[in-house]
Amino acid sequence: MPKKYVKYVVNIGFLFAIFLTTFYLVFKDQELNAVLDSIHRAKNGYIILGIILSLLFVSSESVIIQYLMYTVKEKVSFLRCLKYSFVGFFFSAITPSASGGQPMQVISMSRDGINMAVSTVVLMIVTAAYKTVLIILCLIAAIFEWNYISIHASNIWFLILFGVIANVGFVLLLVIAVFKQSFVTKIVGKTILWLGKHRIIKNREKWLRKALKTLKKYDKSADYIKGNKKVLFHVFIITLLQRICLFSVTYIIYLAFGLRGASAFQIIALQTIIALAVDSLPLPGGMGASESSFLVIFLTIFGEEFVLPGMLLSRGITYYALLIISALVTAFGSLKQKRKKNLENGGKLYDRIL
């Protein structure tokens, strides 16, 4: 097996281990038949609406990627951008802290002929907007529903604090990387020199020339986007809608059980807090932490009878179902790229023979 795939196989194994542990802890004191019966009582129309919202969540990123690509004069079809979004979701879902998503998106784009410097800038802006919107939504939730959040989320305050620090720090680094290209150039240059000094790479001058050539393209793309503040505003608005689509699924599931009392804003606020708390944890897809936080925070809102079925449906729609879909899209995309490459190599061999 190629080395580049070994770490992903390990991550998938780790994912299954966490999955089995999580659901053992969740179900060990539960009557499975009672839980399944409660799930069957959920109205199918609401569940379908939840699935649609989850798919809109992924599709919204595709819209952003295509929009940013067009902004930097790269024409990419929406279907390709949709593929990149599912690739990003899949590898983010199976790697700790979602660390594998963007690198695999860059690789996928590179195979389609998109310059790595361009794709890196685009994806950095996507991530910065994604994290910034999460922080702003949490701030809005805290301002308008502080007492409500304090009552229901007090048991995970340490995770929330960690999430605030990690996400704010990450956004600041991304902003510096996009708006202070000299910082990136300095870091890349020093890294190459250090690798050359310790003989990890050979011909560091060649690596420096190659890096500087790539960084020029990176600088050009970053400058173009920075000069179009309207573009950044549009990305922010789409990302805001994207996040609301995902966080609304919990409220839809709440309605599916015929429950009333909590408002849409209150439930979305609590789901936003959970996202902030688990977003930067070194767990694939926040697995384990997300489920546990849901059961703690929504216990009195869903009630003992529906909190576990509610968690299963909410997480099933927003994470597990999307994980399966994204795995299929990623596999199909990979096979299609390999087939195209084989056809091109076959054509080149045919030309040589002639």
Side-chain angles (χ1 to χ4, degrees):
M1 182 183 293
K3 289 183 179 180
K4 64 179 181 178
Y5 294 119
V6 171
K7 65 177 181 179
Y8 292 113
V9 172
V10 171
N11 282 328
I12 292 172
F14 182 49
L15 182 75
F16 273 107
I18 297 174
F19 174 82
L20 294 174
T21 302
T22 299
F23 278 81
Y24 167 74
L25 294 174
V26 166
F27 283 106
K28 68 173 183 176
D29 298 320
Q30 301 290 332
E31 289 288 338
L32 183 59
N33 289 334
V35 174
L36 292 175
D37 182 60
S38 295
I39 290 175
H40 287 149
R41 289 164 61 185
K43 296 176 182 177
N44 291 334
Y46 285 106
I47 293 174
I48 292 170
L49 179 57
I51 294 170
I52 291 171
L53 287 172
S54 290
L55 292 174
L56 281 173
F57 164 74
V58 178
S59 301
S60 296
E61 182 179 292
S62 309
V63 172
I64 296 169
I65 291 173
Q66 187 184 39
Y67 177 55
L68 288 172
M69 286 294 181
Y70 272 103
T71 301
V72 294
K73 311 302 181 185
E74 286 280 352
K75 292 186 178 181
V76 188
S77 71
F78 177 75
L79 284 178
R80 277 193 177 182
C81 292
L82 192 60
K83 178 187 72 172
Y84 303 144
S85 295
F86 276 113
V87 167
F89 185 92
F90 176 69
F91 285 100
S92 293
I94 67 169
T95 53
S97 303
S99 57
Q102 278 202 354
M104 291 308 297
Q105 283 179 304
V106 170
I107 291 171
S108 183
M109 291 178 186
S110 177
R111 287 171 179 168
D112 288 337
I114 299 173
N115 188 283
M116 282 192 175
V118 174
S119 60
T120 300
V121 174
V122 166
L123 292 173
M124 283 174 67
I125 291 170
V126 170
T127 304
Y130 193 76
K131 298 275 189 182
T132 302
V133 166
L134 177 61
I135 294 167
I136 291 173
L137 283 175
C138 285
L139 185 61
I140 293 170
I143 291 171
F144 291 99
E145 292 291 349
W146 176 257
N147 290 334
Y148 194 78
I149 292 170
S150 298
I151 292 169
H152 295 285
S154 59
N155 289 332
I156 64 164
W157 66 267
F158 51 94
L159 287 178
I160 296 170
L161 181 61
F162 173 78
V164 170
I165 295 170
N167 280 284
V168 170
F170 192 71
V171 169
L172 287 175
L173 283 174
L174 287 176
V175 169
I176 290 171
V178 173
F179 288 90
K180 292 288 184 183
Q181 294 98 305
S182 58
F183 173 79
V184 178
T185 304
K186 190 177 293 185
I187 293 297
V188 171
K190 286 186 176 181
T191 301
I192 292 172
L193 290 173
W194 184 87
L195 292 171
K197 183 179 179 181
H198 291 82
R199 298 182 180 179
I200 298 173
I201 60 171
K202 295 179 180 179
N203 197 344
R204 62 183 182 183
E205 287 76 18
K206 178 183 175 181
W207 278 96
L208 277 171
R209 285 195 300 271
K210 189 175 180 180
L212 289 172
K213 185 178 178 181
T214 302
L215 285 168
K216 282 182 180 178
K217 185 72 174 175
Y218 170 91
D219 291 349
K220 186 178 178 181
S221 300
D223 286 337
Y224 191 86
I225 291 173
K226 282 191 302 183
N228 290 269
K229 299 295 189 297
K230 189 185 290 185
V231 169
L232 298 177
F233 176 74
H234 290 161
V235 168
F236 176 83
I237 295 300
I238 300 170
T239 306
L240 180 63
L241 296 173
Q242 178 194 19
R243 282 287 199 173
I244 291 173
C245 281
L246 188 69
F247 297 150
S248 297
V249 172
T250 301
Y251 180 66
I252 297 301
I253 298 303
Y254 176 76
L255 297 178
F257 290 115
L259 300 172
R260 300 295 185 271
S263 69
F265 184 79
Q266 287 173 329
I267 290 183
I268 291 172
L270 290 175
Q271 189 58 64
T272 303
I273 294 298
I274 292 176
L276 179 73
V278 305
D279 190 65
S280 299
L281 292 177
L283 295 167
M287 190 182 289
S290 291
E291 288 80 2
S292 301
S293 298
F294 188 104
L295 294 175
V296 170
I297 287 179
F298 287 107
L299 176 60
T300 57
I301 297 170
F302 277 77
E304 290 187 8
E305 182 181 1
F306 293 111
V307 67
L308 179 54
M311 181 274 288
L312 291 174
L313 283 176
S314 180
R315 281 288 283 171
I317 290 171
T318 60
Y319 178 70
Y320 297 101
L322 286 181
L323 178 61
I324 293 169
I325 294 169
S326 62
L328 293 173
V329 172
T330 300
F332 177 77
S334 180
L335 289 172
K336 191 174 179 181
Q337 283 179 330
K338 284 183 180 179
R339 185 170 177 273
K340 182 181 177 182
K341 186 177 180 181
N342 289 336
L343 287 172
E344 288 175 352
N345 290 338
K348 289 177 181 178
L349 181 63
Y350 180 76
D351 289 340
R352 287 198 199 104
I353 293 172
L354 291 178

